[in-house]
Amino acid sequence: MQNQIIAVPRNGKKTQAVLSADLLRQALETDHGIHADVHSGHGLALVSVWVGLVVWCDGEWHWWRAGWDDRRKRVLYARHPAIEPSRAARRIAFRYVDLRNQCPLTETI
């Protein structure tokens, strides 16, 4: 298992956004075997999951790009309350599988 580094504000205290993002990261890893990274700044935390799948966290909500509306020519987003990291992780895992099928790992050179 890799060491996980979580960005912390200058005052040394983790924000609610970082705490909720880390709970989501842990749920993704333990429940679904998906490794992700947590980054923070400007009051938000990001969970980087896969190419095209970044989850934003503000401490109250998790939201991520869920697709594209071709008719309206705009991005579709999904969101889930931060108080339910396991359920959010399950929904994100479904999106992860879709994206993995569309954009599989490339061979290393």
Side-chain angles (χ1 to χ4, degrees), residues 3-4 10 18 29 44-45 47 57-58 65 92 109:
N3 291 336
Q4 184 67 29
R10 287 187 180 167
V18 173
E29 189 168 339
L44 291 174
V47 182
C57 305
D58 65 0
R65 184 178 173 163
I92 293 163
I109 297 175

Side-chain angles (χ1 to χ4, degrees), residues 40-57:
S40 71
H42 305 288
L44 291 174
L46 303 175
V47 182
S48 177
V49 183
W50 187 254
V51 176
L53 183 54
V54 175
V55 181
W56 290 271
C57 305

Side-chain angles (χ1 to χ4, degrees), residues 67-76:
W68 177 259
D69 184 342
D70 223 12
R71 190 175 56 111
R72 294 183 178 166
K73 305 289 187 226
R74 66 185 215 190
V75 175
L76 300 174

Side-chain angles (χ1 to χ4, degrees), residues 54-104:
V54 175
V55 181
W56 290 271
C57 305
D58 65 0
E60 293 184 37
W61 292 96
H62 299 300
W63 66 96
W64 60 95
R65 184 178 173 163
W68 177 259
D69 184 342
D70 223 12
R71 190 175 56 111
R72 294 183 178 166
K73 305 289 187 226
R74 66 185 215 190
V75 175
L76 300 174
Y77 289 94
R79 71 178 186 163
H80 199 90
I83 60 172
E84 299 178 326
S86 293
R87 294 179 99 187
R90 184 172 186 267
R91 293 180 63 198
I92 293 163
F94 285 125
R95 181 68 179 147
Y96 171 81
V97 169
D98 288 341
L99 291 172
R100 285 279 314 244
N101 290 334
Q102 293 173 16
C103 187

